[in-house]
Amino acid sequence: MRVVLVTYGSRGDVEPMTGLAVRLQALGAEVRVCAPPDFAELLDDAGVPLTPVGWPIRALATGAIPGKAKVTLSDIAAELTAMAYEAVAGAAEGCDAVVATGSFPAVAGTRAAAERLGVPYVFTTFSPCYLPSPHHPPVRRPGQVIPPEVTGNRALWDLHAENMEDMFGETINVHRASIGLPPVSGVRDYVFTGRPFLAADPVLGPWRETPELDVTQTGAWIRPDERPLPAGLEAFLAAGAEPVYVGFGSMPMRGASAQEVSRAVIEAVRAWGRRVLLGSGWADLALIDGRDDCFLVGEVNQQALFRRVAAVVHHGGAGTTTAAARAGAPQVIVPQVADQPYWAGRVTELGIGTGHDGPTPTAESLSAALAIALAPETGARAAAVAETVRTDGADLAAKLLLDLIGRGGPAVSEG
């Protein structure tokens, strides 16, 4: 059996797909991942072949697309739709299923390729808040203004569908016409389908049943990480009490410079008498002085590291939230965009940490949040919740997917 996994997104989108790819390979499937070129080394280390899609994702996230001084959202959407279609149409010819997540235009191009090839297509999300439901509102876009007369979750989701149609409907249908496919109405539901996978832990991100969607929640797709921690980091950890880890992953910080944010977070942690472990990330966090109570790391094995820290301060990506929860580390989430406010809310509701008020931490605001995260009762609750986090999500999803193929699933998922 051959399966193609597609994502156009950051490390938080690619890592779970890599976890699914590894489990599918262990079950005897041939797997290829279509993803941004940034992740060639990651996938090569995992033993999974890559078909590159689109521009480097960091270039897009920072507005530095090679050869493009200025582009509009419409331009980006059109090119991503086409680039994803071309990559998937080439990689998925003769395959048995296509699984997709990530950027909406890229997933629309992926579904068009699956439709054209006549192979099953499964949409996946890593956060419940992206799926239409009467139990929660849609994720609000930065700067979006909701008309005062639009209230209630169902009305908000109806508005969400209209907005998605306005933003992407024409672009997607122009592309479909160019490849000989008929137009679609309701592009959001066309991309999401009526039977999506939800790759989120049922305790951390539960799905409440709704008649609108038939959702399969598998648990998070976690790839076991056996990499040792760097020698310098091991020495730092051994030299004193557990530090507080601060890192914002694939997320440039808003509202302040890297130097300002670095100083604020270091001062906040020091105010609690704790050592500081900084993850540089896309926020470009850096040391502010030569004191030996701080250490700087780049990309690192979070599964090993988070078990050895007093708390984790991060941006609230689904993967980092799950990794910290699984390790039993109390969390402070400083949400920036997308589903990050949702995860901040869940961490707060579960009592395993707190959400920071606003996207830009100051020494005072982060110190206040750390008062909650470092409290003994939060640590006890985080340890208890850690015991409930599923680790078999990727295995379950792989078996479900192969079962779908074996039963001769629909050419394209319904809905």
Side-chain angles (χ1 to χ4, degrees), residues 20-330:
L20 178 60
V22 168
R23 290 309 306 150
L24 284 166
Q25 288 178 328
L27 294 172
E30 179 184 342
V31 186
R32 177 167 290 273
V33 171
C34 298
D38 316 52
F39 302 103
E41 183 177 353
L42 182 155
L43 288 159
D44 184 62
D45 289 345
V48 179
L50 167 69
T51 293
V53 177
W55 310 288
I57 191 65
R58 186 166 186 175
L60 180 60
T62 57
I65 301 173
K68 294 184 179 294
K70 186 177 181 179
V71 291
T72 66
L73 175 62
S74 180
D75 293 334
I76 292 172
E79 291 201 49
L80 276 180
T81 302
M83 288 188 291
Y85 174 85
E86 292 298 329
V88 176
E93 187 171 2
C95 81
D96 297 290
V98 172
V99 182
T101 193
S103 162
F104 186 87
V107 181
T110 297
R111 174 156 189 183
E115 186 177 343
R116 187 68 184 269
L117 293 170
V119 299
Y121 159 89
V122 178
F123 173 74
T124 296
T125 183
F126 304 130
S127 177
C129 65
Y130 283 126
L131 296 176
S133 168
H135 303 302
H136 60 251
V139 173
R140 185 173 294 192
R141 301 191 315 277
Q144 182 182 10
V145 177
I146 304 295
E149 67 274 13
V150 180
T151 59
N153 290 336
R154 290 188 185 276
L156 289 169
W157 278 108
D158 288 343
L159 179 64
H160 179 267
E162 293 174 12
N163 290 340
M164 296 294 280
E165 195 73 21
D166 291 340
M167 286 191 295
F168 302 117
E170 182 178 0
T171 295
I172 289 170
N173 280 321
V174 166
H175 177 261
R176 287 176 64 84
S178 74
I179 59 174
L181 290 176
V184 294
S185 60
V187 293
R188 183 199 68 190
D189 297 336
Y190 160 78
V191 168
F192 287 3
T193 78
R195 303 176 63 188
F197 275 16
L198 172 57
D201 184 78
V203 171
L204 300 179
W207 174 253
R208 295 176 64 183
E209 294 297 328
T210 172
E212 287 85 354
L213 290 176
D214 180 12
V215 174
T216 298
Q217 184 163 20
T218 63
W221 297 348
I222 299 169
R223 178 170 64 110
D225 194 341
E226 305 298 335
R227 293 175 299 163
L229 297 177
L233 175 55
E234 282 284 7
F236 176 77
L237 292 171
E242 293 178 334
V244 171
Y245 173 86
V246 183
F248 302 109
S250 303
M251 186 59 56
M253 296 297 291
R254 295 188 289 153
S257 69
Q259 182 179 13
E260 290 170 329
V261 174
S262 298
R263 181 169 295 279
V265 301
I266 290 173
E267 290 179 353
V269 177
R270 282 175 170 169
W272 282 93
R274 294 282 183 170
R275 301 190 303 154
V276 189
L277 182 56
L278 281 184
S280 53
W282 289 9
D284 293 323
L285 300 184
L287 303 179
I288 62 172
D289 54 39
R291 290 172 55 177
D292 63 3
D293 65 341
C294 293
F295 191 85
L296 183 70
V297 296
E299 200 282 316
V300 69
N301 180 348
Q302 292 183 345
Q303 295 174 21
L305 176 61
F306 287 177
R307 296 187 182 97
R308 301 173 64 182
V309 300
V312 176
V313 179
H314 63 102
H315 59 300
T320 307
T321 303
T322 303
R326 183 183 174 208

Side-chain angles (χ1 to χ4, degrees), residues 1-26:
M1 294 182 180
R2 290 186 57 233
V3 181
V4 172
L5 310 180
V6 186
T7 183
Y8 189 80
S10 68
R11 174 70 179 263
D13 297 293
V14 177
E15 183 65 43
M17 294 298 251
T18 307
L20 178 60
V22 168
R23 290 309 306 150
L24 284 166
Q25 288 178 328

